[in-house]
Amino acid sequence: MKRFLDFLTNSPAAVTTAVLTALGIVAFAVSGLHAAAWIIGLVLCLGVIVALLMFHGEWRRAQRQIDALRQQLSVELGRMDTPGLTPVEESVELLPDERRARRILELLPDSGGLVQSLRLDATFGTLAISELEPLHTFCDEFKKTSFDNPRSHTAFMNLYRSAEALSLWVNEETQVAPADSTTREIRPGDTREDGWREYTEARGRGERLSDEFVSSRWEFNQTALELGLVSGAPPFTE
């Protein structure tokens, strides 16, 4: 009960409702205002309705925060060793969201591979085929995947959409380099219908898609860390 009263005290909507109620009592107590009582009552009722809608929104936001904190607490409690017991030397069963997050970050590591290459090569030159394979694998493997936690699912969907767009761009706008069969490069202008203007546009779009991919991958990693999905995570194994 005390927590609920504290919530009401710190809620602008609840305070507004209380003030409007007090003003209504005072207004109707003044005999000189009785002629306009119905106008005053209508205005106050509208104000109370708006305040109640605000209060409902605040209550729902508070409940979502509580649910998120409870889930985070359950994740952390699941990682704690039981006091007084000797740890068992066996692999810990991961939650579904943890397995998904670790698999994704294994396919798209930050310290090497495609993510690092895109971050270092701002001009978007050539890309190693071996670095592009995990990108295509990620798009195929996680095509119908969803996360249980709404926040991690939003971050995942942003990452998946950017990865899928980049994967499609690679397939449509690049080719195996003639001088090096282990890399792909943007198709030159002399092989395009609109020539080098089309090449410039394709290159610009590739740079934008790669920036979005790197950014969404970073956001997904931060979200996974904050939710405890990959904190201190060992390498993913099947």
Side-chain angles (χ1 to χ4, degrees), residues 88-107:
V88 179
E89 293 296 331
E90 61 180 7
S91 58
V92 179
E93 184 176 356
L94 301 177
L95 296 174
D97 278 4
E98 291 179 312
R99 290 182 61 83
R100 299 182 189 108
R102 297 184 188 194
R103 173 59 176 164
I104 290 171
L105 296 180
E106 180 196 56
L107 284 171

Side-chain angles (χ1 to χ4, degrees), residues 109-160:
D110 182 61
S111 58
L114 180 63
V115 177
Q116 185 180 61
S117 296
L118 293 178
R119 185 186 297 112
L120 296 178
D121 186 6
T123 61
F124 207 99
T126 60
L127 292 172
I129 294 178
S130 60
E131 294 180 348
L132 291 169
E133 289 176 354
L135 175 69
H136 302 313
T137 300
F138 167 69
C139 293
D140 293 337
E141 186 174 329
F142 289 88
K143 186 175 183 178
K144 298 182 179 180
T145 299
S146 62
F147 277 70
D148 298 329
N149 182 280
R151 185 180 170 196
S152 57
H153 180 70
T154 299
F156 161 73
M157 289 306 301
N158 291 336
L159 173 60
Y160 184 84

Side-chain angles (χ1 to χ4, degrees), residues 163-224:
E164 185 180 38
L166 180 60
S167 177
L168 291 174
W169 180 89
V170 169
N171 292 335
E172 295 173 356
E173 302 293 349
T174 69
Q175 64 181 18
V176 178
D180 185 0
S181 61
T182 63
T183 62
R184 294 185 69 93
E185 63 181 10
I186 304 177
R187 290 188 292 108
D190 52 17
T191 64
R192 295 174 178 269
E193 182 177 351
D194 291 338
W196 290 100
R197 184 182 66 177
E198 182 181 342
Y199 167 85
T200 302
E201 293 175 353
R203 183 163 188 158
R205 189 162 65 93
E207 292 176 355
R208 177 177 57 81
L209 292 175
S210 66
D211 289 341
E212 293 175 356
F213 169 69
V214 172
S215 176
S216 60
R217 191 270 176 203
W218 180 88
E219 292 176 0
F220 175 79
N221 182 68
Q222 290 299 112
T223 301

Side-chain angles (χ1 to χ4, degrees), residues 26 35 38 56 64 93 122 128 153 165 178 183 193 204 216 225-226 229 238:
V26 173
W38 67 275
H56 178 67
R64 285 197 296 268
E93 184 176 356
H153 180 70
T183 62
E193 182 177 351
S216 60
L225 287 172
E226 293 173 5
L229 301 180
E238 292 290 346

